[in-house]
Each structure stands twice: as structure tokens, then as C-alpha cells.
């Protein structure tokens, strides 16, 4: 090729720009949707070109692709990231996809064996996944009562209720280091489920997280107004541990951990942040919680503590409300039985969701409507009906804020929660006037509707409102360098 010809081609390229130069064709083009990016506050109709699982181009110019989605009249936003998803089963995966969740991570408590979890899910998951290292599981192992691979919350017993010896504490710390090496994104601490953990133990575990520059996710020690053991005391404990160790901290489900004291708990989070601490929090939009009935949460004194009685407890599969006799039988049983607790007030939850410090996380598992409906409920109830959250803020709470929470543990999270060139193509496309949750306490597995398309790593898992069969594009989100 002669030099003048080469110059001519270079000039032509400069004029035409990179997308048209080679008649560029993307794997997939999303045409004409209202593109929302919570980080840059972008909100306008644009075209999106996707190649090899990433957003390659966002442009007002027409783009051509092997496949095209006509998104005119629809919102195009980053897929939702649920940092608190216990149900890692296939049914939950489908429910999450219908709800717009493209990444569902077990961060509150963590799985008992990170390596095994990642190996089992790899190539078999509809949505992206990840986990923390489990303090509860490390504790159970140190007490010689290791948890089964799918067990998250330990049954009440010696390993939950006794203080650890120095040797047991050292064993826990070693185990947590190994789990972080295996790809865990932080340390999960369900302190209320292991009441035997002393204040000192909590600080020593925070030190492990601080030394590895990963966050601690915690279900705090206690809930309620009664002292000692109030929500305020429990939140004070973990903010104190973050302050003295330097660890980053996410206080999970501030709605159910703080109940009617949530405004003060949120003020404590704001105060900690104002003084330079990296403390964040999350909530789910339901008045009822759910947990295991044989856990330490229901040890002596729970009624007085939570201000509820047996009839506030419901079995999810049958709707049966409990009596004293039935409760005693189930609490003593070694069998894991989930129970729904009606414990909060609607106006408290509504105020939590609207608070700018609060990101959205479902605490999802089968049996509770939050597994299926959390994210579309935010769009239907808070954005559309109550108008207490703007659409862009809702997207921020459900995508960018959780991505930012993960960024200290993995740089790969910088490619999530954003509609930007170079970001992972985890994308939701929906009609904001129609999208809604449908799950109820009676029918907790009713999937949300209105998500027209949901893409995970560039691959549609929901298309035209229906599940796409035979695709499993979810990949692991792990600590360290991007993979
Ligand atoms: Zn919890």
C-alpha cells in the first residue's frame, strides 16, 4: 500500500469514527431506549452496542448488530446487584432474573466453603454470583461442628452460644484468611446467630477484614429497644469495631435490625461517614422478616426483645400461625424450618427505603416474597406510587451503590452498576409504567413482571418478558483482580 493511500484511509477513519470505520457490527444492539446511568446521571434516548459481554458503544448514532432489541419507549439501565441473596438455588435464580437482578451474592453470612460454592455454581448459574467468607461457619468448624455445604445459619448450640478460646479464635482467623484466598469478597458476620461471640472476638474478626482490605457485612448482635441488647447498642458495636480496626462495614437490613429505631441507626451511619468511616447500609421493602426457627435468635427472651408473640410467626409453606406448643416443638427440632416474622411497621420501612444512604438488598430465599419481588417493588411502590424515590435514584440504590460496596474487594466491580462503555453488559430493559412485583406472603414464588429484557454478560436471560431457555451466562464475582 502506498503512503498516500494509507494517509487517505487514516483520514477516512478519523472522519467516520471508530464505530462505522469497518462497518462495525456488534453482537447485539439495543436501539433507542432511554439509557440511565446512575454514576453520570445520563438519562436520554441512545443506542447501545454490545460485544463479547461488554458495553462497547453508547451513541446517538445508529449502530448495527447481529441482533437488535428495539427498546424505544423502554428504560435501559444497569442490571440490579443483590448483595444479600441467600437462595442460590435455580428457582431463586429465575425469580431474581424476572425481578431484574443480574448479580445475586450471599454476603450477609457467607457460604461455609467458598471454593466448593464457586465450583458448583460456575457454568450453572443464570445470574452472576459471589460470597463472603462465613464467620459462623469458621466458628462452627473451630467448635468441631462444621456446617453442611448448603447450611448458612448454624443451629443454636455450643458453637453459637459459647465463647471461643484463644485457640479457637486463631483457628477461625486462619480459616477466614483461606476463604478470602479462595475468592470471598469480604467477611460475613451474623452476630445475632452466634451470641457466644464476645466483643473482643468481633474486633479480632474485623481485623482480618481490615488486613485484607475487604468489607465486613454484618447482621448486628441484637434488635429492639430493650437495654442491654438494643438495636442502638448493636449498631454502636459494629461501627466501633470498624473505627478501631479500619475495616469497611455494611450493616445489612437496617429495616429489620433497627425497626422503629431505624432513623437513629441511619443517623449513626451518617455520623460515622461524616467522620471518615466507610460504613454503608441496606434495606428490603417488607414488614416481615424470615429466618430459621431453631436458630439462636429464638432463644429465651425473644418475645420481650422483639415485642411480638407466637401469633406474629408464620410458617411460609402453609401460612400456619404458631402457638406456644408448636413453637416449642419447632425450636427444639434439629430440622431447619424457616419462619416468617411480622415484626416491623409499614411507615418505618417506607422511610428506610427513601433514605439516600440506603441501598436495596433482598435477604432473599424461598418462602418469603422478598426473594422474588424486592427490586420491582421498589420501582412499582416507591418510584411510581409513593413517588418517594426518583427513577434514577432507585437505579442507583439497586445497581451503582452495591457495585461501589464491592469495589474495595474486587476491581471488577467497577465494571458493574453502570451504563458506560467498557462496563459489563448486565442490563435491564423495562417499561417503568408497567413493571411490578407480584409475590405475596401467601404466594411468595410469583415472579415480577414488566422486565422486557434482562441481559447477563451480554446474554438475554429474559426476552420479551419470558425466560430464555438453555442459557446460563452467570459468572463468579471474586476478590482481587478482574477475571
Ligand atoms: Zn439477617
Amino acid at each position: 500500500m502506498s503512503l498516500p493511500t494509507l494517509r487517505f484511509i487514516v483520514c477516512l477513519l478519523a472522519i467516520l469514527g471508530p464505530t462505522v470505520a469497518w462497518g462495525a457490527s456488534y453482537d447485539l444492539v439495543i436501539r433507542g431506549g432511554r439509557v440511565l446511568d446512575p454514576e453520570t446521571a445520563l438519562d436520554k434516548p441512545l443506542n447501545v452496542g454490545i460485544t463479547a459481554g461488554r458495553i462497547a458503544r453508547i451513541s446517538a448514532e445508529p449502530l448495527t448488530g447481529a441482533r437488535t432489541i428495539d427498546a424505544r419507549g423502554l428504560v435501559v439501565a444497569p442490571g440490579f446487584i443483590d448483595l444479600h441473596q441467600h437462595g442460590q438455588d435455580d428457582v431463586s435464580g429465575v425469580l431474581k432474573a424476572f425481578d431484574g437482578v443480574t448479580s445475586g451474592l450471599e454476603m450477609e453470612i457467607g457460604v461455609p466453603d467458598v471454593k466448593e460454592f464457586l465450583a458448583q455454581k460456575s457454568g450453572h448459574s443464570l445470574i452472576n454470583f459471589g460470597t463472603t467468607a462465613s464467620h459462623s461457619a469458621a466458628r462452627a468448624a473451630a467448635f468441631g461442628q462444621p456446617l453442611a455445604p448448603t447450611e448458612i445459619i448454624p443451629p443454636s448450640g455450643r458453637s453459637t452460644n459459647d465463647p471461643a478460646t484463644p485457640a479457637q479464635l486463631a483457628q477461625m482467623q486462619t480459616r477466614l484468611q483461606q476463604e478470602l484466598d479462595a475468592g470471598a469478597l469480604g467477611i460475613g458476620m451474623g452476630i445475632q446467630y452466634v451470641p457466644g461471640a464476645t466483643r473482643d472476638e468481633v474486633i479480632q474478626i474485623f481485623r482480618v477484614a481490615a488486613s485484607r482490605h475487604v468489607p465486613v457485612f454484618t447482621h448486628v448482635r441484637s434488635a429492639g429497644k430493650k437495654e442491654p441488647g438494643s438495636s442502638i447498642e448493636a449498631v454502636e458495636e459494629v461501627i466501633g469495631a470498624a473505627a478501631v480496626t479500619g475495616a469497611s462495614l455494611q450493616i445489612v437490613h437496617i429495616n429489620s435490625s433497627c425497626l422503629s429505631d431505624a432513623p437513629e441507626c441511619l443517623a449513626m451511619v451518617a455520623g460515622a461517614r461524616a467522620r471518615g468511616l466507610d460504613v454503608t447500609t441496606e434495606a428490603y421493602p417488607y414488614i416481615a422478616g424470615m429466618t430459621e426457627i431453631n436458630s439462636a435468635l429464638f432463644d429465651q427472651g425473644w418475645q420481650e426483645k422483639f415485642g411480638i408473640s407466637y401469633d406474629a410467626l408464620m410458617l411460609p409453606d402453609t401460612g400456619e400461625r404458631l402457638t406456644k406448643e408448636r413453637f416449642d416443638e419447632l425450636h427444639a427440632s434439629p430440622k431447619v424450618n424457616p419462619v416468617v416474622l411480622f415484626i416491623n411497621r409499614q411507615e418505618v420501612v417506607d422511610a428506610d427505603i427513601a433514605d439516600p444512604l440506603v441501598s436495596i438488598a433482598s435477604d432473599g430465599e424461598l418462602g418469603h416474597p422478598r426473594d422474588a419481588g424486592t427490586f420491582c417493588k421498589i420501582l412499582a411502590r416507591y418510584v411510581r406510587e409513593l413517588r418517594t424515590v426518583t427513577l434514577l435514584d432507585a437505579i442507583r440504590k439497586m445497581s451503582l451503590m452495591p457495585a461501589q460496596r464491592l469495589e474495595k474487594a474486587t476491581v471488577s466491580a467497577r465494571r458493574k452498576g453502570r451504563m458506560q462503555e467498557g462496563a459489563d453488559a448486565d442490563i435491564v430493559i423495562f417499561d417503568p409504567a408497567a413493571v411490578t412485583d407480584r409475590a405475596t406472603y401467601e404466594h411468595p414464588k410469583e415472579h415480577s413482571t414488566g422486565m422486557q429484557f434482562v441481559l447477563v454478560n451480554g446474554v438475554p436471560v429474559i426476552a420479551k418478558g419470558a425466560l430464555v431457555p438453555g442459557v446460563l451466562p452467570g459468572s463468579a464475582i471474586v476478590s482481587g483482580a478482574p477475571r
Side-chain angles (χ1 to χ4, degrees):
M1 192 184 295
S2 72
L3 202 58
T5 314
L6 188 64
R7 271 202 198 113
F8 173 74
I9 290 173
V10 169
C11 278
L12 200 65
L13 283 177
I15 292 163
L16 294 176
T19 56
V20 191
W22 302 101
S25 182
Y26 300 93
D27 295 348
L28 176 67
V29 167
I30 303 168
R31 184 156 61 96
R34 177 184 166 191
V35 177
L36 293 184
D37 177 47
E39 190 166 52
T40 59
L42 172 72
D43 179 356
K44 61 168 122 167
L46 290 165
N47 302 305
V48 179
I50 294 164
T51 291
R54 299 263 180 97
I55 298 171
R57 185 90 172 123
I58 299 179
S59 173
E61 302 301 317
L63 305 178
T64 56
R67 299 167 71 187
T68 301
I69 292 172
D70 184 356
R72 286 173 298 177
L74 303 175
V75 164
V76 179
F80 308 144
I81 301 169
D82 190 349
L83 294 183
H84 194 151
Q85 175 59 24
H86 297 303
Q88 294 287 328
D89 55 287
D90 294 346
V91 175
S92 288
V94 170
L95 295 175
K96 304 314 285 189
F98 274 112
D99 207 29
V101 174
T102 51
S103 301
L105 300 90
E106 163 61 72
M107 301 295 278
E108 179 195 30
I109 305 217
V111 300
D113 189 323
V114 172
K115 194 172 161 202
E116 188 178 323
F117 170 77
L118 295 175
Q120 284 205 347
K121 296 276 288 184
S122 290
H124 297 97
S125 186
L126 200 57
I127 62 174
N128 302 317
F129 52 92
T131 182
T132 47
S134 169
H135 166 242
S136 307
R139 197 171 208 278
F143 276 78
Q145 300 171 336
L147 300 184
T150 54
E151 217 172 359
I152 301 293
I153 295 175
S156 174
R158 239 176 19 86
S159 84
T160 63
N161 295 359
D162 287 2
T165 63
Q168 284 171 324
L169 181 55
Q171 210 179 317
M172 285 180 229
Q173 290 177 305
T174 304
R175 174 67 185 165
L176 291 170
Q177 294 276 11
Q178 290 164 346
E179 292 290 80
L180 290 166
D181 290 339
L185 293 157
I187 296 179
M189 294 189 78
I191 304 174
Q192 190 162 22
Y193 296 106
V194 287
T198 61
R199 269 71 176 168
D200 179 60
E201 180 175 328
V202 169
I203 290 171
Q204 301 315 325
I205 301 298
F206 269 63
R207 286 222 163 97
V208 176
S211 73
R212 298 288 294 256
H213 307 288
V214 295
V216 173
F217 284 69
T218 183
H219 173 138
V220 297
R221 187 180 291 280
S222 204
K225 284 189 175 296
K226 194 168 170 285
E227 297 277 11
S230 69
S231 297
I232 302 292
E233 182 193 50
V235 168
E236 234 172 33
E237 178 186 15
V238 291
I239 290 178
V244 298
T245 62
S248 299
L249 169 66
Q250 169 115 326
I251 298 169
V252 308
H253 53 45
I254 202 153
N255 53 308
S256 61
S257 281
C258 289
L259 303 169
S260 61
D261 280 330
E264 181 51 41
C265 289
L266 285 164
M268 292 165 77
V269 171
R273 295 178 63 81
R275 280 146 199 90
L277 299 184
D278 181 13
V279 179
T280 52
T281 191
E282 57 172 65
Y284 59 82
Y286 294 87
I287 60 165
M290 186 167 84
T291 190
E292 314 302 355
I293 200 164
N294 64 355
S295 72
L297 201 120
F298 288 108
D299 287 353
Q300 198 70 34
W302 63 271
Q303 289 164 283
E304 197 185 3
K305 191 169 166 42
F306 301 140
I308 56 172
S309 191
Y310 301 104
D311 61 354
L313 306 183
M314 186 189 96
L315 296 187
D317 293 334
T318 59
E320 178 189 343
R321 295 281 179 152
L322 298 191
T323 59
K324 180 179 184 315
E325 293 67 37
R326 192 81 167 105
F327 172 85
D328 289 344
E329 176 197 333
L330 294 169
H331 181 56
S333 166
K335 188 168 174 284
V336 174
N337 272 299
V339 65
V340 173
L341 319 68
F342 289 88
I343 196 171
N344 211 344
R345 297 204 318 275
Q346 191 62 55
E347 60 269 28
V348 172
V349 174
D350 289 348
D352 293 342
I353 297 300
D355 192 289
L357 282 177
V358 173
S359 63
I360 305 303
S362 75
D363 199 357
E365 61 184 313
L366 290 174
H368 192 298
R370 66 193 179 193
D371 197 34
T374 289
F375 292 82
C376 286
K377 193 182 185 77
I378 300 298
L379 296 170
R381 177 175 171 82
Y382 297 93
V383 176
R384 203 164 59 225
E385 289 166 27
L386 299 180
R387 300 187 179 198
T388 50
V389 182
T390 67
L391 179 59
L392 191 61
D393 280 340
I395 301 298
R396 176 179 293 113
K397 284 169 175 287
M398 301 192 287
S399 60
L400 181 66
M401 287 172 74
Q404 288 172 329
R405 180 65 290 170
L406 292 180
E407 281 171 22
K408 282 193 179 152
T410 172
V411 290
S412 69
R414 291 188 202 143
R415 296 199 313 264
K416 302 231 173 265
R418 284 127 169 133
M419 280 302 300
Q420 295 172 16
E421 292 177 2
D424 293 338
D426 297 336
I427 296 173
V428 286
I429 303 173
F430 62 93
D431 176 358
V435 68
T436 191
D437 61 303
R438 287 161 66 239
T440 62
Y441 294 105
E442 292 74 30
H443 302 287
K445 289 186 203 163
E446 290 290 316
H447 68 72
S448 297
T449 53
M451 285 292 155
Q452 286 301 305
F453 291 86
V454 176
L455 275 55
V456 175
N457 296 310
V459 177
V461 297
I462 301 288
K464 297 185 177 161
L467 184 69
V468 178
V471 293
L472 295 166
S475 65
I477 302 173
V478 294
S479 56
R483 294 190 174 185

